[in-house]
Amino acid sequence: KVRLYHNPDAFPKAFLVQSASFEPDAATVRYRLSQPDYQPKQLIYVDGPKPPAYLPPSSTKVAAGTTPIIKYKPTEVDVKVNTPEDTWLVLTDSWTPQWHTFIDGQKQNRLTANTLWRTARVPAGKHIISFRYQSPAVELAKKLTALALLIAFTLILFPSLRALLN
């Protein structure tokens, strides 16, 4: 038998939240998330290399706006946000330091929501929020592969060089 369950309280892949609190201590965030009065669609706990420039006062209202995902690839995600006021976009994908955030092509501080998700402070209006995975290890591997291919083709095209190496 196969059963399919539906969870009406599951988070969407991308959603908006009106309020955020900067909290660099992960243990404190996990404790606060476990409290019965925590409202995840109204407040997130933000962490990053430095605090956001501005955190508006807490609000109990639910953020308004739309968040369709327009590109979803393993190393890049684009979300089209349309919101009548400044808000927070939360992407419920895991975060690592290799993920970089851009708003309309402008690089932003990397921030996490609730210690594990990607997030960005979005100004009112229509914007494209991009998350890009940029790994130094992958970039080094690409350069080393290109160098190895260059050497291999050089040795194939110029057999006299092979004789010098032997």
Side-chain angles (χ1 to χ4, degrees):
K1 287 184 177 182
V2 175
R3 292 190 176 130
L4 181 63
Y5 294 96
H6 175 71
N7 181 353
D9 296 325
F11 288 105
K13 184 58 93 174
F15 64 97
L16 299 174
V17 174
Q18 193 61 41
S19 297
S21 175
F22 183 74
E23 182 56 67
D25 180 44
T28 301
V29 172
R30 285 189 294 273
Y31 172 76
R32 291 182 180 166
L33 294 176
S34 70
Q35 298 306 301
D37 61 341
Y38 175 63
Q39 298 295 320
K41 293 182 180 176
Q42 293 177 355
L43 171 70
I44 58 170
Y45 294 100
V46 176
D47 181 24
K50 60 183 178 179
Y54 172 72
L55 283 173
S58 291
S59 172
T60 57
K61 71 180 189 175
V62 176
T66 58
T67 59
I69 295 174
I70 55 175
K71 182 190 285 184
Y72 194 87
K73 294 182 177 180
T75 59
E76 50 189 296
V77 178
D78 290 344
V79 182
K80 186 177 184 178
V81 175
N82 185 3
T83 179
E85 55 192 328
D86 295 359
T87 190
W88 291 89
L89 168 67
V90 178
L91 183 69
T92 57
D93 281 346
S94 62
W95 177 90
T96 67
Q98 289 79 25
W99 282 101
H100 299 269
T101 306
F102 299 85
I103 297 179
D104 298 328
Q106 299 294 316
K107 193 166 187 171
Q108 305 294 312
N109 286 336
R110 291 177 292 191
L111 299 170
T112 60
N114 297 348
T115 73
L116 69 148
W117 295 328
R118 291 175 241 161
T119 191
R121 180 75 176 151
V122 182
K126 295 179 182 180
H127 302 280
I128 302 294
I129 312 306
S130 301
F131 297 96
R132 300 283 183 259
Y133 188 83
Q134 300 169 340
S135 170
V138 170
E139 295 306 315
L140 178 62
K142 287 178 183 177
K143 290 176 184 174
L144 291 175
T145 300
L147 179 63
L149 288 172
L150 178 66
I151 291 170
F153 285 130
T154 302
L155 292 175
I156 290 169
L157 294 174
F158 302 103
S160 59
L161 290 176
R162 258 187 292 172
L164 290 174
L165 294 176
N166 290 333

